[in-house]
Amino acid sequence: QVQLVESGGGSVQAGGSLRLTCAASTSLMWRYCLAWVRQAPGKDREVVATLAPAGGTSYADPVQGRFTISRDNTENTLALLMTDLKPEDTAMYYCATRSAPVSAMECPGTDYTYWGRGTQVTVSS
């Protein structure tokens, strides 16, 4: 069982930045696919960024070049740096993980085992 707790959400104006953090109860984050997933009211869940055990990253097209996912294995945390925020980035952001081979460079799909409770991001124009 892995527990995840997100923090860092808030309200910002368009063009601003936020850094989300996810604290994990495991010291083995390097053995997991890690993801940030968002869901806006009335919209489907969207995987915005993933980080594979071997270090490969991927980003959804709407956030490419603006968001950066990273992990700190010593602090057992996952982060999402969000810059140049847009009103369409407004959503609840969730941290999610699943186990994966340590050699994996990709984390395809949207099926994650463990989820945090989310942190709200609101971007005003």
Side-chain angles (χ1 to χ4, degrees):
Q1 186 80 12
V2 177
Q3 295 180 333
L4 304 169
V5 179
E6 302 94 336
S7 61
S11 297
V12 296
Q13 290 190 327
S17 300
L18 282 174
R19 186 175 186 269
L20 307 183
T21 301
C22 173
S25 63
T26 177
S27 61
L28 302 175
M29 293 186 75
W30 52 274
R31 297 178 64 175
Y32 287 83
C33 270
L34 308 169
W36 285 98
V37 181
R38 69 184 180 187
Q39 187 165 25
K43 295 189 176 181
D44 292 336
R45 191 175 286 180
E46 177 184 32
V47 178
V48 295
T50 65
L51 177 54
T57 59
S58 68
Y59 298 92
D61 287 344
V63 308
Q64 182 76 44
R66 300 189 296 120
F67 290 12
T68 303
I69 189 171
S70 62
R71 71 177 180 228
D72 185 328
N73 292 336
T74 59
E75 298 290 331
N76 304 327
T77 58
L78 175 70
L80 184 70
L81 176 62
M82 307 184 295
T83 63
D84 190 23
L85 283 161
K86 305 177 186 299
E88 51 264 41
D89 294 319
T90 294
M92 184 71 79
Y93 284 72
Y94 300 90
C95 173
T97 73
R98 66 171 186 256
S99 60
V102 295
S103 60
M105 281 292 289
E106 296 180 327
C107 297
T110 61
D111 186 18
Y112 286 87
T113 308
Y114 304 106
W115 293 79
R117 294 189 174 184
T119 185
Q120 177 68 37
V121 172
T122 303
V123 185
S124 58
S125 58

